[in-house]
Amino acid sequence: MTSTTPQGERIAKRMARAGRASRREAERLIGEGRVRVNGKSIDSPALNVTAADRIEVDGIPLAAAEAPRMWRYYKPVGLVTSERDEKGRPTVFDRLPEDLPRVLSVGRLDLNSEGLLLLTNDGELKRKLELPSTGWTRKYRVRAKGNPTEQTLKPLERGIVIDGEKFRPMSISIDRVQGANCWLTIGLKEGKNREIRRALNEVGLDVNRLIRVSYGPFQLGEMKDGEVEEIRGKILRDQLGIKAEPQAVQRAKQAGEPYKRAANPSKSLRKRK
């Protein structure tokens, strides 16, 4: 077993780069004694490993770390953004195409929200893009019951405290009022659990549809429910300064477009009207 020296990289980071888990999840697996290095069980993530080390998780050899790849996915309403749900509800990962490699979600969208969800095979990239310090704006189109004015929304633009939890300032524009509902465009730098729904409810608006339309430079565009599209290698290099997985780039060049397909129709939810 390798020792805790500067050589190599931390085992949790190595597991994250292989797409097996996020770094935090990797540390949990290690703490539960489910990880073995060179045939020996470990119980602490304070260990550096190199390419020469043999790593197993639940008895399965850890895959070689690939270059980072990313996909855009239109998450439909009715899916939980987690690998497993204790209530038995369908998850995002139950509905992804079977030929997609193991992926992790960048951030979350709640059960009743839809729109752009970024997926990656690299746990370190996931962690980086979720950090508030990355500074990326998440934009949403929101339909809510009510007829707000700019004055109504001022508290949210300044930042608001709800049940002792502080929400950072939001950017909000009123797009149109349609009958009893209004359409808003909202931008966040850091998304907390059900933040938009809770914040709008605080000023008397009841959200009945929420669509994420962008995450930093990545846009939902004209994607449809359940559709998955791999982000081109050039875009990854330009936006993130990383290289795409060579085989994926080669396949995209041969096809003349990025990896793009809808989820298995037999697995898809009925499209929301």
Side-chain angles (χ1 to χ4, degrees):
M1 188 183 300
T2 50
S3 59
T4 54
T5 69
Q7 184 181 16
E9 62 183 340
R10 289 295 193 188
I11 185 168
K13 182 177 180 180
R14 170 67 180 80
M15 291 170 62
R17 288 202 308 112
R20 177 59 181 82
S22 67
R23 190 184 294 190
R24 182 176 297 179
E25 175 70 5
E27 291 175 353
R28 183 183 68 80
L29 293 172
I30 292 167
E32 292 175 355
R34 296 165 60 182
V35 179
R36 296 169 66 88
V37 178
N38 300 329
K40 296 183 179 179
S41 180
I42 63 171
D43 58 11
S44 170
L47 174 69
N48 280 30
V49 294
T50 70
D53 290 303
R54 187 177 73 256
I55 304 168
E56 296 173 292
V57 182
D58 293 333
I60 300 173
L62 188 68
E66 293 185 347
R69 297 168 65 185
M70 282 184 62
W71 292 260
R72 296 186 303 146
Y73 171 59
Y74 191 128
K75 175 203 170 295
V77 170
L79 297 182
V80 179
T81 311
S82 60
E83 289 196 48
R84 293 174 298 277
D85 181 64
E86 65 278 2
K87 297 180 181 178
R89 296 171 295 185
T91 76
V92 162
F93 302 96
D94 294 332
R95 298 297 194 265
L96 293 176
E98 293 179 357
D99 58 348
L100 219 64
R102 182 183 177 90
V103 293
L104 306 165
S105 67
V106 178
R108 292 174 177 266
L109 284 172
D110 67 41
L111 181 72
N112 296 315
S113 298
E114 61 187 288
L116 181 63
L117 185 66
L118 296 179
L119 305 171
T120 179
N121 66 332
D122 190 295
E124 279 298 292
L125 180 58
K126 163 186 165 71
R127 177 174 174 270
K128 175 183 176 181
L129 299 185
E130 289 176 344
L131 290 173
S133 57
T134 302
W136 277 1
T137 298
R138 292 84 149 159
K139 286 190 177 180
Y140 302 79
R141 291 215 64 218
V142 182
R143 187 179 67 194
K145 184 177 181 181
N147 188 359
T149 64
E150 291 185 4
Q151 194 61 34
T152 303
L153 302 173
K154 282 293 182 185
L156 308 186
E157 294 176 338
R158 293 192 295 262
I160 193 170
V161 177
I162 302 175
D163 297 330
E165 186 173 9
K166 186 176 181 179
F167 293 164
R168 296 173 66 179
M170 305 176 180
S171 64
I172 309 179
S173 64
I174 302 172
D175 299 330
R176 71 177 188 270
V177 176
Q178 186 177 23
N181 292 309
C182 63
W183 278 97
L184 310 171
T185 296
I186 298 179
L188 303 175
K189 290 290 187 183
E190 176 186 9
K192 296 182 179 178
N193 184 37
R194 298 177 60 81
E195 180 170 352
I196 291 176
R197 297 178 189 277
R198 293 167 63 193
L200 290 183
N201 185 256
E202 191 73 7
V203 295
L205 299 174
D206 184 21
V207 173
N208 49 49
R209 191 172 185 190
L210 191 152
I211 312 166
R212 182 153 66 196
V213 295
S214 68
Y215 194 110
F218 302 107
Q219 308 290 318
L220 181 65
E222 300 299 318
M223 295 184 75
K224 299 178 175 62
D225 279 16
E227 191 172 61
V228 182
E229 179 177 317
E230 184 166 7
I231 297 170
R232 290 181 183 273
K234 183 179 186 303
I235 296 174
L236 289 183
R237 291 192 295 273
D238 291 346
Q239 299 295 339
L240 305 175
I242 59 176
K243 294 182 179 180
E245 193 271 323
Q247 292 181 352
V249 175
Q250 185 177 16
R251 289 195 300 269
K253 286 181 178 178
Q254 291 173 345
E257 60 181 6
Y259 177 98
K260 181 177 181 179
R261 60 167 292 179
N264 188 329
S266 65
K267 291 186 174 184
S268 298
L269 296 179
R270 181 176 297 174
K271 188 172 182 180
R272 189 169 188 249
K273 296 181 179 179

